[in-house]
Protein backbone atom coordinates (compact mmCIF):
# COMPACT_ATOMS: atom_id res chain seq x y z
CA UNK A 1 0.00 0.00 0.00
CA UNK A 2 1.14 3.54 -0.73
CA UNK A 3 1.25 6.27 1.94
CA UNK A 4 1.96 9.97 1.37
CA UNK A 5 2.77 12.38 4.20
CA UNK A 6 4.68 15.63 4.81
CA UNK A 7 7.53 13.76 6.56
CA UNK A 8 8.94 10.28 6.99
CA UNK A 9 7.83 10.14 10.64
CA UNK A 10 4.24 10.99 9.65
CA UNK A 11 4.33 8.34 6.94
CA UNK A 12 5.60 5.79 9.49
CA UNK A 13 2.68 6.62 11.80
CA UNK A 14 0.22 5.93 8.99
CA UNK A 15 1.90 2.64 8.13
CA UNK A 16 2.00 1.51 11.75
CA UNK A 17 -1.62 2.50 12.32
CA UNK A 18 -2.95 0.52 9.35
CA UNK A 19 -0.50 -2.39 9.00
CA UNK A 20 0.90 -2.81 12.53
CA UNK A 21 4.41 -3.34 13.87
CA UNK A 22 5.20 -6.20 11.44
CA UNK A 23 4.91 -3.92 8.41
CA UNK A 24 7.90 -3.73 6.07
CA UNK A 25 9.04 -0.77 3.99
CA UNK A 26 9.32 -1.73 0.32
CA UNK A 27 10.23 1.68 -1.09
CA UNK A 28 10.40 5.34 -0.11
CA UNK A 29 10.98 8.55 -2.06
CA UNK A 30 10.51 12.30 -1.91
CA UNK A 31 7.85 13.81 -4.18
CA UNK A 32 6.57 17.35 -4.83
CA UNK A 33 2.92 18.28 -5.27
CA UNK A 34 0.88 21.39 -5.98
CA UNK A 35 2.47 24.68 -6.83
CA UNK A 36 1.91 27.19 -9.60
CA UNK A 37 3.92 27.10 -12.81
CA UNK A 38 6.46 24.84 -11.17
CA UNK A 39 6.90 27.14 -8.16
CA UNK A 40 5.93 26.79 -4.51
CA UNK A 41 5.65 23.00 -4.73
CA UNK A 42 5.10 21.16 -1.46
CA UNK A 43 7.62 18.47 -0.48
CA UNK A 44 6.02 15.13 0.45
CA UNK A 45 7.33 11.68 1.36
CA UNK A 46 5.87 8.67 -0.43
CA UNK A 47 6.22 5.26 1.22
CA UNK A 48 5.22 1.87 -0.15
CA UNK A 49 4.65 -0.66 2.66
CA UNK A 50 3.14 -4.08 3.19
CA UNK A 51 2.80 -6.75 5.83
CA UNK A 52 5.68 -9.25 5.69
CA UNK A 53 4.15 -12.44 4.24
CA UNK A 54 6.69 -14.59 6.13
CA UNK A 55 5.55 -13.13 9.46
CA UNK A 56 1.90 -13.62 8.54
CA UNK A 57 2.56 -17.20 7.45
CA UNK A 58 4.39 -17.97 10.70
CA UNK A 59 1.51 -16.55 12.75
CA UNK A 60 -1.04 -18.51 10.76
CA UNK A 61 0.95 -21.73 11.14
CA UNK A 62 1.34 -21.25 14.88
CA UNK A 63 -2.38 -20.53 15.21
CA UNK A 64 -3.18 -23.67 13.21
CA UNK A 65 -0.87 -25.84 15.35
CA UNK A 66 -2.34 -24.47 18.58
CA UNK A 67 -5.86 -25.08 17.29
CA UNK A 68 -5.03 -28.65 16.25
CA UNK A 69 -3.36 -29.36 19.58
CA UNK A 70 -6.39 -27.95 21.45
CA UNK A 71 -8.76 -30.17 19.47
CA UNK A 72 -6.61 -33.28 20.01
CA UNK A 73 -6.63 -32.66 23.77
CA UNK A 74 -10.38 -32.02 24.04
CA UNK A 75 -11.70 -34.56 21.52
CA UNK A 76 -13.05 -37.82 23.06
CA UNK A 77 -11.38 -41.14 22.27
CA UNK A 78 -13.97 -42.55 19.84
CA UNK A 79 -12.00 -45.61 18.83
CA UNK A 80 -8.71 -47.27 19.57
CA UNK A 81 -8.13 -47.33 15.82
CA UNK A 82 -8.55 -43.57 15.48
CA UNK A 83 -5.28 -41.70 14.85
CA UNK A 84 -4.11 -39.57 17.78
CA UNK A 85 -2.58 -36.15 17.14
CA UNK A 86 0.84 -35.92 18.80
CA UNK A 87 2.27 -32.42 19.45
CA UNK A 88 5.33 -31.66 17.34
CA UNK A 89 7.30 -30.50 20.42
CA UNK A 90 6.79 -33.93 21.99
CA UNK A 91 8.07 -35.71 18.88
CA UNK A 92 11.12 -33.41 18.69
CA UNK A 93 11.91 -34.06 22.37
CA UNK A 94 11.65 -37.82 21.88
CA UNK A 95 14.00 -37.66 18.87
CA UNK A 96 16.48 -35.54 20.82
CA UNK A 97 16.54 -38.02 23.70
CA UNK A 98 17.00 -40.90 21.27
CA UNK A 99 19.91 -39.14 19.60
CA UNK A 100 21.52 -38.51 22.99
CA UNK A 101 21.23 -42.20 23.87
CA UNK A 102 22.81 -43.23 20.58
CA UNK A 103 25.57 -40.62 21.00
CA UNK A 104 26.35 -41.84 24.51
CA UNK A 105 26.54 -45.45 23.32
CA UNK A 106 28.77 -44.49 20.37
CA UNK A 107 31.13 -42.54 22.61
CA UNK A 108 31.33 -45.42 25.05
CA UNK A 109 32.39 -47.84 22.32
CA UNK A 110 34.77 -45.43 20.63
CA UNK A 111 36.59 -44.53 23.85
CA UNK A 112 36.19 -47.80 25.74
CA UNK A 113 39.97 -48.07 26.14
CA UNK A 114 39.93 -45.05 28.47
CA UNK A 115 39.21 -44.88 32.17
CA UNK A 116 35.46 -44.73 32.81
CA UNK A 117 35.76 -41.30 34.40
CA UNK A 118 37.33 -39.96 31.20
CA UNK A 119 34.54 -41.50 29.17
CA UNK A 120 31.95 -39.74 31.32
CA UNK A 121 33.56 -36.36 30.59
CA UNK A 122 33.73 -37.14 26.87
CA UNK A 123 30.05 -38.13 26.88
CA UNK A 124 29.15 -34.83 28.53
CA UNK A 125 31.16 -32.86 25.98
CA UNK A 126 29.52 -34.79 23.16
CA UNK A 127 26.09 -33.94 24.56
CA UNK A 128 27.24 -30.32 24.59
CA UNK A 129 27.73 -30.65 20.83
CA UNK A 130 31.51 -30.66 20.71
CA UNK A 131 32.64 -31.97 17.32
CA UNK A 132 34.22 -35.40 16.93
CA UNK A 133 37.77 -34.21 16.19
CA UNK A 134 37.92 -32.28 19.46
CA UNK A 135 36.50 -35.22 21.40
CA UNK A 136 39.25 -37.46 20.04
CA UNK A 137 41.94 -34.95 21.04
CA UNK A 138 40.35 -34.46 24.46
CA UNK A 139 40.29 -38.21 25.11
CA UNK A 140 43.95 -38.59 24.24
CA UNK A 141 44.90 -35.50 26.30
CA UNK A 142 43.04 -36.67 29.42
CA UNK A 143 44.40 -40.21 29.09
CA UNK A 144 47.99 -38.95 28.90
CA UNK A 145 47.45 -36.65 31.89
CA UNK A 146 45.97 -39.44 33.96
CA UNK A 147 48.81 -41.85 33.18
CA UNK A 148 51.46 -39.27 34.11
CA UNK A 149 49.78 -38.33 37.37
CA UNK A 150 48.44 -41.75 38.33
CA UNK A 151 50.72 -42.14 41.34
CA UNK A 152 50.65 -38.52 42.51
CA UNK A 153 47.04 -37.40 42.29
CA UNK A 154 44.89 -37.46 45.42
CA UNK A 155 41.60 -36.72 43.67
CA UNK A 156 41.40 -38.19 40.17
CA UNK A 157 37.86 -36.97 39.43
CA UNK A 158 38.62 -33.39 40.39
CA UNK A 159 41.92 -33.40 38.49
CA UNK A 160 40.23 -34.76 35.34
CA UNK A 161 37.77 -31.87 35.38
CA UNK A 162 40.61 -29.38 35.79
CA UNK A 163 42.50 -31.01 32.92
CA UNK A 164 39.38 -31.03 30.72
CA UNK A 165 38.94 -27.29 31.23
CA UNK A 166 42.64 -26.79 30.55
CA UNK A 167 42.33 -28.76 27.29
CA UNK A 168 39.52 -26.49 26.06
CA UNK A 169 41.49 -23.41 27.06
CA UNK A 170 44.61 -24.63 25.26
CA UNK A 171 42.65 -25.23 22.04
CA UNK A 172 41.52 -21.60 21.74
CA UNK A 173 44.05 -19.67 23.84
CA UNK A 174 45.60 -18.03 20.76
CA UNK A 175 42.26 -16.78 19.41
CA UNK A 176 41.59 -13.15 20.33
CA UNK A 177 38.76 -12.67 22.83
CA UNK A 178 37.93 -9.04 23.60
CA UNK A 179 35.14 -6.50 23.41
CA UNK A 180 35.18 -3.21 21.52
CA UNK A 181 38.72 -1.96 20.99
CA UNK A 182 37.56 1.66 20.57
CA UNK A 183 40.41 2.07 18.09
CA UNK A 184 37.95 2.69 15.26
CA UNK A 185 35.21 5.29 15.11
CA UNK A 186 32.40 3.17 13.64
CA UNK A 187 31.10 0.16 15.52
CA UNK A 188 28.78 -2.04 13.54
CA UNK A 189 26.69 -5.15 14.31
CA UNK A 190 25.42 -7.47 11.59
CA UNK A 191 23.57 -10.77 11.57
CA UNK A 192 20.27 -12.47 10.76
CA UNK A 193 16.90 -11.38 12.08
CA UNK A 194 15.85 -12.46 15.55
CA UNK A 195 19.28 -12.76 17.18
CA UNK A 196 18.97 -9.55 19.21
CA UNK A 197 21.23 -7.16 17.29
CA UNK A 198 19.50 -3.93 18.36
CA UNK A 199 19.41 -4.81 22.07
CA UNK A 200 23.04 -5.97 21.91
CA UNK A 201 24.10 -2.74 20.21
CA UNK A 202 22.34 -0.75 22.95
CA UNK A 203 24.22 -2.69 25.63
CA UNK A 204 27.53 -1.97 23.92
CA UNK A 205 26.65 1.70 23.49
CA UNK A 206 25.63 1.97 27.15
CA UNK A 207 29.12 0.93 28.21
CA UNK A 208 30.63 3.65 26.01
CA UNK A 209 28.28 6.33 27.40
CA UNK A 210 27.98 5.36 31.07
CA UNK A 211 31.36 3.81 31.85
CA UNK A 212 33.66 5.59 29.41
CA UNK A 213 31.80 8.94 29.16
CA UNK A 214 32.06 8.97 25.38
CA UNK A 215 30.05 11.08 22.97
CA UNK A 216 28.28 8.66 20.64
CA UNK A 217 25.53 8.56 18.04
CA UNK A 218 23.34 5.85 16.51
CA UNK A 219 22.75 5.05 12.86
CA UNK A 220 20.18 2.48 11.83
CA UNK A 221 19.78 1.01 8.37
CA UNK A 222 17.12 -1.40 9.64
CA UNK A 223 14.24 0.34 7.88
CA UNK A 224 12.69 -2.97 6.91
CA UNK A 225 10.73 -3.24 10.16
CA UNK A 226 9.20 -0.21 11.82
CA UNK A 227 9.45 -1.82 15.26
CA UNK A 228 13.26 -1.99 14.94
CA UNK A 229 13.52 1.77 14.40
CA UNK A 230 11.29 2.51 17.38
CA UNK A 231 13.28 0.14 19.58
CA UNK A 232 16.57 1.86 18.78
CA UNK A 233 14.97 5.30 19.29
CA UNK A 234 13.83 4.16 22.74
CA UNK A 235 17.37 3.12 23.68
CA UNK A 236 18.75 6.36 22.22
CA UNK A 237 16.32 8.34 24.36
CA UNK A 238 17.37 6.49 27.51
CA UNK A 239 21.05 7.13 26.76
CA UNK A 240 20.34 10.69 25.60
CA UNK A 241 22.13 10.23 22.28
CA UNK A 242 21.01 11.13 18.73
CA UNK A 243 19.89 8.57 16.18
CA UNK A 244 19.84 8.86 12.40
CA UNK A 245 17.62 6.64 10.23
CA UNK A 246 19.26 5.74 6.92
CA UNK A 247 17.28 4.62 3.87
CA UNK A 248 19.91 5.02 1.14
CA UNK A 249 23.60 5.78 0.62
CA UNK A 250 22.98 9.54 0.52
CA UNK A 251 21.35 9.38 3.97
CA UNK A 252 24.30 7.41 5.30
CA UNK A 253 26.79 10.02 4.06
CA UNK A 254 24.76 12.82 5.66
CA UNK A 255 24.62 10.93 8.95
CA UNK A 256 28.38 10.39 8.88
CA UNK A 257 28.92 14.11 8.31
CA UNK A 258 26.54 14.95 11.17
CA UNK A 259 28.56 12.78 13.57
CA UNK A 260 31.98 14.13 12.54
CA UNK A 261 32.78 15.45 16.04
CA UNK A 262 31.53 12.36 17.88
CA UNK A 263 33.84 9.82 19.55
CA UNK A 264 32.07 6.78 18.13
CA UNK A 265 29.08 5.91 15.98
CA UNK A 266 27.14 2.68 16.61
CA UNK A 267 25.46 1.22 13.52
CA UNK A 268 22.45 -1.11 13.57
CA UNK A 269 21.72 -3.09 10.40
CA UNK A 270 18.72 -4.96 9.04
CA UNK A 271 18.60 -8.69 9.65
CA UNK A 272 16.35 -10.07 6.93
CA UNK A 273 16.76 -13.62 5.62
CA UNK A 274 20.44 -14.57 5.89
CA UNK A 275 20.02 -17.19 3.15
CA UNK A 276 19.40 -14.44 0.60
CA UNK A 277 22.78 -13.13 -0.55
CA UNK A 278 21.01 -10.12 -2.04
CA UNK A 279 20.44 -8.65 1.43
CA UNK A 280 24.15 -8.71 2.23
CA UNK A 281 24.86 -7.02 -1.10
CA UNK A 282 22.19 -4.38 -0.41
CA UNK A 283 23.75 -3.68 2.98
CA UNK A 284 27.17 -3.16 1.39
CA UNK A 285 25.63 -0.60 -0.97
CA UNK A 286 24.59 1.57 1.99
CA UNK A 287 27.38 1.09 4.52
CA UNK A 288 31.05 1.73 3.85
CA UNK A 289 32.57 -1.24 5.69
CA UNK A 290 36.09 -0.16 4.76
CA UNK A 291 35.85 3.17 6.57
CA UNK A 292 37.43 2.99 10.05
CA UNK A 293 34.96 0.31 11.16
CA UNK A 294 34.88 -2.50 13.72
CA UNK A 295 32.24 -5.08 12.75
CA UNK A 296 30.75 -7.78 14.97
CA UNK A 297 28.66 -10.70 13.73
CA UNK A 298 25.81 -11.56 16.12
CA UNK A 299 24.82 -15.23 16.40
CA UNK A 300 22.23 -16.88 18.63
CA UNK A 301 23.27 -19.88 20.72
CA UNK A 302 19.77 -21.29 20.21
CA UNK A 303 20.50 -21.67 16.48
CA UNK A 304 21.71 -24.89 14.91
CA UNK A 305 25.43 -25.02 14.23
CA UNK A 306 24.79 -25.64 10.52
CA UNK A 307 22.78 -22.41 10.40
CA UNK A 308 25.57 -20.51 12.18
CA UNK A 309 28.08 -21.69 9.61
CA UNK A 310 25.76 -20.75 6.78
CA UNK A 311 25.37 -17.27 8.25
CA UNK A 312 29.15 -16.88 8.57
CA UNK A 313 29.59 -17.96 4.96
CA UNK A 314 26.94 -15.49 3.79
CA UNK A 315 28.75 -12.60 5.49
CA UNK A 316 32.20 -13.74 4.35
CA UNK A 317 32.61 -10.71 2.07
CA UNK A 318 32.60 -8.44 5.15
CA UNK A 319 35.62 -8.07 7.43
CA UNK A 320 34.24 -9.42 10.71
CA UNK A 321 36.35 -8.72 13.80
CA UNK A 322 34.73 -11.05 16.31
CA UNK A 323 31.46 -12.79 17.16
CA UNK A 324 28.81 -11.92 19.69
CA UNK A 325 26.80 -14.89 20.97
CA UNK A 326 23.35 -14.08 22.33
CA UNK A 327 20.68 -15.99 24.29
CA UNK A 328 23.12 -17.82 26.54
CA UNK A 329 20.31 -18.02 29.11
CA UNK A 330 18.01 -19.83 26.67
CA UNK A 331 20.18 -22.90 26.15
CA UNK A 332 22.34 -25.31 28.12
CA UNK A 333 24.40 -26.40 25.09
CA UNK A 334 27.55 -24.44 24.22
CA UNK A 335 29.51 -26.83 22.00
CA UNK A 336 28.58 -25.02 18.80
CA UNK A 337 30.23 -21.85 20.12
CA UNK A 338 33.49 -23.73 20.70
CA UNK A 339 33.29 -25.47 17.31
CA UNK A 340 32.67 -22.22 15.41
CA UNK A 341 35.50 -20.19 16.92
CA UNK A 342 37.92 -23.12 16.63
CA UNK A 343 37.04 -23.75 12.98
CA UNK A 344 37.07 -20.10 11.87
CA UNK A 345 39.89 -18.97 14.20
CA UNK A 346 37.81 -15.90 15.06
CA UNK A 347 37.15 -15.00 18.67
CA UNK A 348 34.25 -13.78 20.77
CA UNK A 349 33.68 -10.19 21.83
CA UNK A 350 30.67 -10.68 24.11
CA UNK A 351 28.04 -13.12 25.28
CA UNK A 352 24.57 -11.91 26.30
CA UNK A 353 22.22 -13.46 28.82
CA UNK A 354 18.97 -11.50 28.64
CA UNK A 355 17.17 -8.32 27.59
CA UNK A 356 18.28 -5.94 30.35
CA UNK A 357 20.38 -2.99 29.17
CA UNK A 358 23.24 -2.67 29.97
CA UNK A 359 23.51 -5.50 32.53
CA UNK A 360 23.06 -8.68 30.47
CA UNK A 361 26.28 -8.59 28.49
CA UNK A 362 29.84 -9.60 29.33
CA UNK A 363 33.18 -10.27 27.71
CA UNK A 364 34.39 -13.85 27.59
CA UNK A 365 37.75 -15.65 27.52
CA UNK A 366 39.03 -19.17 26.86
CA UNK A 367 38.80 -20.13 30.52
CA UNK A 368 35.14 -19.08 30.72
CA UNK A 369 34.29 -21.17 27.65
CA UNK A 370 35.82 -24.19 29.36
CA UNK A 371 33.71 -23.50 32.43
CA UNK A 372 30.54 -23.23 30.34
CA UNK A 373 31.18 -26.48 28.47
CA UNK A 374 31.61 -28.40 31.72
CA UNK A 375 28.89 -26.51 33.59
CA UNK A 376 26.55 -28.86 35.42
CA UNK A 377 28.76 -31.92 34.99
CA UNK A 378 29.17 -34.31 37.90
CA UNK A 379 30.17 -37.96 38.02
CA UNK A 380 27.08 -38.75 40.06
CA UNK A 381 24.64 -37.45 37.45
CA UNK A 382 26.52 -38.58 34.34
CA UNK A 383 25.93 -41.98 32.80
CA UNK A 384 27.63 -44.02 30.12
CA UNK A 385 27.22 -47.49 28.72
CA UNK A 386 30.00 -49.89 29.63
Amino acid sequence: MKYVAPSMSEAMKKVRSELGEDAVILNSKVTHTGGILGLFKKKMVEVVAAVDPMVEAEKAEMKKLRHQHKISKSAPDKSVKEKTSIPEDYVQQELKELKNMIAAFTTAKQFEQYDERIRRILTHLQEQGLKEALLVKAGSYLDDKLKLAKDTTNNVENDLLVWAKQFIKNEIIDIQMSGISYKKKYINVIGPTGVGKTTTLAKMAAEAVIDKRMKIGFITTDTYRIAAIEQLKTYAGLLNVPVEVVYKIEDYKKAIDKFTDFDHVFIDTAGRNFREKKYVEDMRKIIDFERDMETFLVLSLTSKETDMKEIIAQFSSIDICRYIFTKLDETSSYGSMMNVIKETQRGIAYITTGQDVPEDISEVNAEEIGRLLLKGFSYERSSISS
Side-chain angles (χ1 to χ4, degrees):
M1 296 180 67
K2 185 185 293 184
Y3 299 88
V4 180
S7 66
M8 180 58 74
S9 61
E10 290 295 319
M12 291 296 106
K13 288 179 182 178
K14 288 185 178 182
V15 173
R16 191 182 302 107
S17 175
E18 291 192 20
L19 301 181
E21 296 295 338
D22 289 322
V24 297
I25 308 304
L26 302 178
N27 189 30
S28 65
K29 65 180 180 179
V30 176
T31 62
H32 296 83
T33 60
I36 302 172
L37 299 176
L39 302 174
F40 308 110
K41 287 186 177 182
K42 187 176 181 181
K43 180 181 176 181
M44 302 291 283
V45 175
E46 180 183 294
V47 172
V48 178
V51 176
D52 190 340
M54 292 297 291
V55 173
E56 289 297 296
E58 288 173 6
K59 288 183 176 179
E61 183 64 23
M62 288 301 295
K63 185 177 180 181
K64 180 181 176 183
L65 287 173
R66 284 195 296 268
H67 180 65
Q68 289 176 344
H69 185 38
K70 185 176 180 181
I71 291 175
S72 68
K73 288 176 66 178
S74 61
D77 187 9
K78 295 179 181 179
S79 169
V80 292
K81 295 181 180 179
E82 186 174 354
K83 186 177 179 180
T84 303
S85 177
I86 302 175
E88 185 178 349
D89 289 346
Y90 177 79
V91 176
Q92 291 297 329
Q93 182 61 31
E94 288 291 300
L95 287 172
K96 183 178 179 181
E97 290 179 4
L98 181 59
K99 286 179 180 178
N100 287 340
M101 290 173 61
I102 294 171
F105 179 77
T106 304
T107 301
K109 294 302 180 184
Q110 183 177 1
F111 300 118
E112 60 185 4
Q113 74 271 26
Y114 297 143
D115 184 286
E116 183 183 359
R117 290 162 294 190
I118 293 177
R119 300 206 312 270
R120 290 181 187 277
I121 292 177
L122 296 176
T123 299
H124 173 82
L125 292 175
Q126 186 177 55
E127 290 171 352
Q128 281 286 308
L130 209 64
K131 66 181 182 180
E132 196 71 16
L134 285 172
L135 288 172
V136 171
K137 287 184 70 174
S140 179
Y141 178 86
L142 294 176
D143 189 50
D144 289 344
K145 282 285 187 180
L146 186 58
K147 287 176 180 176
L148 289 171
K150 192 171 184 179
D151 298 326
T152 59
T153 179
N154 295 319
N155 190 333
V156 173
E157 293 182 351
N158 182 71
D159 286 346
L160 280 170
L161 277 174
V162 172
W163 295 333
K165 291 175 183 177
Q166 186 62 47
F167 166 78
I168 294 167
K169 180 179 177 180
N170 291 345
E171 286 295 305
I172 54 177
I173 193 66
D174 294 328
I175 302 174
Q176 183 184 4
M177 308 276 185
S178 64
I180 303 171
S181 69
Y182 293 107
K183 293 179 180 179
K184 297 187 178 182
K185 180 169 183 175
Y186 303 100
I187 298 159
N188 181 35
V189 293
I190 60 175
T193 186
V195 296
K197 290 190 303 300
T198 304
T199 303
T200 301
L201 189 75
K203 293 173 184 177
M204 295 162 70
E207 179 189 41
V209 173
I210 299 170
D211 297 340
K212 299 186 180 297
R213 304 294 180 183
M214 292 178 170
K215 182 181 180 182
I216 73 157
F218 281 127
I219 291 177
T220 178
T221 67
D222 191 359
T223 57
Y224 186 64
R225 294 190 187 280
I226 297 172
I229 299 175
E230 295 305 315
Q231 184 184 17
L232 189 61
K233 284 184 176 179
T234 299
Y235 290 134
L238 292 172
L239 294 173
N240 194 28
V241 299
V243 57
E244 292 292 319
V245 182
V246 169
Y247 293 90
K248 49 187 181 296
I249 186 65
E250 290 77 15
D251 297 334
Y252 182 76
K253 290 177 179 177
K254 289 178 182 177
I256 292 298
D257 290 340
K258 187 172 289 188
F259 292 137
T260 299
D261 297 328
F262 283 58
D263 295 320
H264 295 282
V265 179
F266 288 74
I267 303 172
D268 191 22
T269 60
R272 310 289 286 274
N273 185 346
F274 69 85
R275 289 186 174 87
E276 295 290 340
K277 193 172 183 179
K278 172 182 178 295
Y279 297 143
V280 179
E281 293 171 351
D282 288 346
M283 185 168 58
R284 289 184 65 86
K285 290 176 183 177
I286 296 176
I287 299 174
D288 183 3
F289 285 93
E290 308 302 322
R291 181 173 179 173
D292 198 21
M293 185 172 292
E294 196 167 12
T295 299
F296 300 91
L297 176 59
V298 184
L299 301 168
S300 170
L301 280 169
T302 59
S303 301
K304 294 185 295 185
E305 186 177 332
T306 52
D307 286 343
M308 289 187 191
K309 291 179 179 178
E310 192 173 345
I311 293 166
I312 293 168
Q314 202 67 288
F315 287 104
S316 60
S317 61
I318 295 171
D319 183 17
I320 298 166
C321 297
R322 286 172 295 287
Y323 302 120
I324 297 174
F325 286 96
T326 61
K327 304 186 181 182
L328 185 80
D329 55 317
E330 295 181 26
T331 183
S332 58
S333 179
Y334 314 110
S336 58
M337 177 169 58
M338 174 73 175
N339 295 339
V340 165
I341 63 176
K342 176 68 176 174
E343 185 173 319
T344 62
Q345 290 294 297
R346 185 180 289 121
I348 304 172
Y350 302 100
I351 53 174
T352 73
T353 55
Q355 296 295 311
D356 290 346
V357 177
E359 292 86 0
D360 296 335
I361 188 170
S362 59
E363 293 187 31
V364 69
N365 55 32
E367 189 171 341
E368 174 65 9
I369 292 173
R371 187 193 69 80
L372 284 171
L373 281 168
L374 287 157
K375 181 181 177 182
F377 173 80
S378 73
Y379 290 98
E380 289 76 16
R381 288 199 299 269
S382 66
S383 62
I384 191 167
S385 302
S386 297

